Every structure is written in structure tokens, then in C-alpha cells.
């Protein structure tokens, strides 16, 4: 499928539903070869089939990016299969809000591990490839982090979710400052 992003490779986490799935489909519609990452292989296969039916190209990597070592592996697999990486969309996330005295610590850890630590690890692994891609024909590479309005405005019963999204927003802004001169654009999207 020809489009503005023809020749580009985009890695999208959290691609089995919601913003991640929609982003993967749109990137493919714009001509990118898309690598879809999430835990649910069946949902990824459905989305990849929809992309293929529309004339696009999608590869599927079923993985839990909150597990140590997995972020590095999915980036390595993407580059090995596709030969490059031009766009990273960090859309994986979970929101488990509720009364802070009643919610189990394990839910807080789950949010920190997926919403923040996995995003950091995937981005860290992708940066060398994105810097390299920015030297190419397109002249730019992209990191798009999905945060939330909760990354700007705190709300009761959402403290840990707020903390993870504040972290995503702060990391994105700092990364933008650090990599702008290397033609790696860093964007943060804050639905809400």
C-alpha cells in the first residue's frame, strides 16, 4: 500500500486493542510496514488480517513487554525481520484505579511495570535504530508515547496511574530535548 510512510517500519506496542490497534491500522494505511506487539496473539492476528485485507503489511509479535528482557527482544526481532525501525509507538498500558487502601500493591506494580518501565525499556532498545533511521532518506524518526490527561492532572483514586502517566509525559519531554538535534521527534499524546 503506497503512502506517506512507504518504506518505513513502525513498531506499535499495545496493538491488540484501542489506541494501539487503531494506530497500527492507520500507520499501515499510510504505507508503513507495521509490527504489532501485545500479549493477545489472537487479537493481533485479527488486526494484521484487517491490515492485509486493506493492502497493508503487518507482522505480529505476541509478547508481554512488562517482562524483563522482552522489550529488547521485540526491538531486535523487529529490526531482524524488517531491516530497520523508523517509528516507535508506545501504546501499551493499563489503568487499575480505586481506593488506595483497598487496591493490592500488585496492581500498583503492574501499572508501574507496564505503563512506565516497559515504555522506558522499549524506547531504550529502539533509540539506536531510530537515530540510524533518522540519517536515511526520510531524514527523521519518531517516538510517540501514549500518556493521558492523567499525566498532567492528578485525581483521587488514580494516584499510581497518575504517577505512571506523569512519568511518561516527563520522559517524553526530556527525550525530545535530548534527541531533537538528531532528528528523532518525540511526541506525547494525552487522551482524556
Amino acid at each position: 500500500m503506497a503512502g506517506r510512510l512507504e518504506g518505513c517500519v513502525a513498531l506499535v506496542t499495545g496493538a491488540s486493542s484501542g489506541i494501539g490497534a487503531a494506530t497500527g491500522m492507520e500507520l499501515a494505511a499510510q504505507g508503513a510496514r507495521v509490527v504489532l506487539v501485545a500479549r493477545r496473539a489472537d487479537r493481533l492476528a485479527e488486526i494484521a488480517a484487517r491490515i492485509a485485507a486493506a493492502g497493508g503489511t503487518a507482522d505480529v509479535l505476541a509478547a508481554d513487554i512488562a517482562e524483563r528482557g522482552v522489550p529488547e527482544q521485540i526491538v531486535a526481532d523487529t529490526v531482524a525481520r524488517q531491516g530497520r525501525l523508523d517509528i516507535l509507538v508506545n501504546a501499551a498500558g493499563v489503568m487499575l484505579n480505586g481506593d488506595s487502601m483497598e487496591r493490592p500493591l500488585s496492581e500498583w506494580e503492574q501499572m508501574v511495570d507496564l505503563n512506565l518501565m516497559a515504555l522506558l525499556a522499549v524506547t531504550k532498545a529502539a533509540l539506536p535504530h531510530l537515530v540510524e533511521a533518522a540519517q536515511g532518506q526520510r531524514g527523521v524518526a519518531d517516538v510517540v508515547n501514549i500518556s493521558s490527561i492523567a499525566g498532567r492532572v492528578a485525581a483521587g483514586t488514580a494516584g499510581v496511574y497518575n504517577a505512571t502517566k506523569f512519568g511518561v509525559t516527563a520522559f517524553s519531554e526530556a527525550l525530545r530535548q535530548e534527541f531533537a538535534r538528531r532528528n528523532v521527534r518525540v511526541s506525547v499524546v494525552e487522551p482524556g
Side-chain angles (χ1 to χ4, degrees), residues 11-14 37 63-67 69-76 78 85 87-92 113-114 116-130 143-145 171 175:
L11 171 62
V12 182
T13 70
V37 179
D64 182 351
I65 63 169
E67 291 182 14
V70 172
E72 297 83 0
Q73 190 61 55
I74 64 164
V75 170
T78 296
L85 179 59
I87 301 165
L88 170 62
V89 180
N90 286 305
D113 289 347
L114 181 58
L116 187 55
M117 293 306 299
L119 180 145
L120 296 174
V122 173
T123 304
K124 173 79 169 155
L127 280 170
H129 304 288
L130 295 168
V143 176
V144 180
N145 292 327
F171 175 66
L175 204 63

Side-chain angles (χ1 to χ4, degrees), residues 15-136:
S16 63
S17 63
I19 293 169
T23 301
M25 289 187 286
E26 182 58 30
L27 288 166
Q30 294 296 324
R33 295 187 320 259
V34 180
V35 178
L36 306 170
V37 179
R39 291 174 298 153
R40 298 180 290 177
D42 58 332
R43 287 286 297 135
L44 291 175
E46 290 172 23
I47 293 160
R50 288 172 61 186
I51 289 170
T57 303
D59 197 359
V60 169
L61 292 175
D64 182 351
I65 63 169
E67 291 182 14
R68 295 235 181 248
V70 172
E72 297 83 0
Q73 190 61 55
I74 64 164
V75 170
D77 288 350
T78 296
V79 174
R81 292 178 184 191
Q82 301 296 331
R84 60 184 301 121
L85 179 59
D86 303 271
I87 301 165
L88 170 62
V89 180
N90 286 305
V94 64
M95 181 171 59
L96 304 169
N97 296 339
D99 183 282
S100 294
M101 291 194 304
E102 294 176 8
R103 304 310 299 182
L105 182 60
S106 62
E107 288 185 358
W108 290 7
E109 291 168 339
Q110 183 181 355
M111 284 189 283
V112 170
D113 289 347
L114 181 58
N115 297 0
L116 187 55
M117 293 306 299
L119 180 145
L120 296 174
V122 173
T123 304
K124 173 79 169 155
L127 280 170
H129 304 288
L130 295 168
V131 168
E132 181 180 343
Q135 313 292 314

